[in-house]
Amino acid sequence: MALRALYNEIRGMKVREVPAYLKPRLTWENVKKSADQAVDRYIEKYIETSKPDPLFHVCFGGMAFSYLVALPWERAHLAHLEEMERTGGKHH
């Protein structure tokens, strides 16, 4: 929702006007305030209602994080296998 509102605000602007519009909104205080509000909304929506959703968020977030951490290793392994196939299985 916030991104849609931001898009609607800057939609009619010229490109050179956008940085001057965004710069005062991207201060450390505004970012911190927005993050605090997001955490408060999450707590109200999930934690205080005793829903099991936060447990699912932690599980799926952990799976996504572990996938992203392992991705460079897997890509290197795949590149090595492709190199072995290309050279006929010879080690280099």
Side-chain angles (χ1 to χ4, degrees):
M1 285 294 206
L3 286 177
R4 184 179 301 162
L6 177 67
Y7 172 74
N8 287 335
E9 290 176 8
I10 65 174
R11 182 172 54 184
M13 294 181 179
K14 295 186 180 192
V15 174
R16 67 182 101 109
E17 297 171 347
V18 174
Y21 175 78
L22 291 179
K23 189 172 182 178
R25 286 161 179 75
L26 292 178
T27 62
W28 180 247
E29 291 80 22
N30 284 344
V31 170
K32 186 177 176 183
K33 185 176 110 181
S34 296
D36 288 341
Q37 289 173 346
V39 168
D40 290 342
R41 283 191 307 266
Y42 184 86
I43 289 172
E44 287 176 15
K45 188 173 182 179
Y46 296 110
I47 305 296
E48 292 177 354
T49 59
S50 299
K51 291 182 178 180
D53 290 350
L55 180 62
F56 300 142
H57 295 158
V58 169
C59 291
F60 289 121
M63 287 189 324
F65 179 74
S66 65
Y67 174 78
L68 291 174
V69 167
L71 189 59
W73 177 266
E74 293 297 327
R75 289 180 57 101
H77 179 67
L78 181 61
H80 177 71
L81 290 177
E82 289 174 350
E83 177 68 22
M84 285 182 57
E85 282 182 5
R86 194 170 48 114
T87 59
K90 297 178 186 173
H91 293 279
H92 52 280

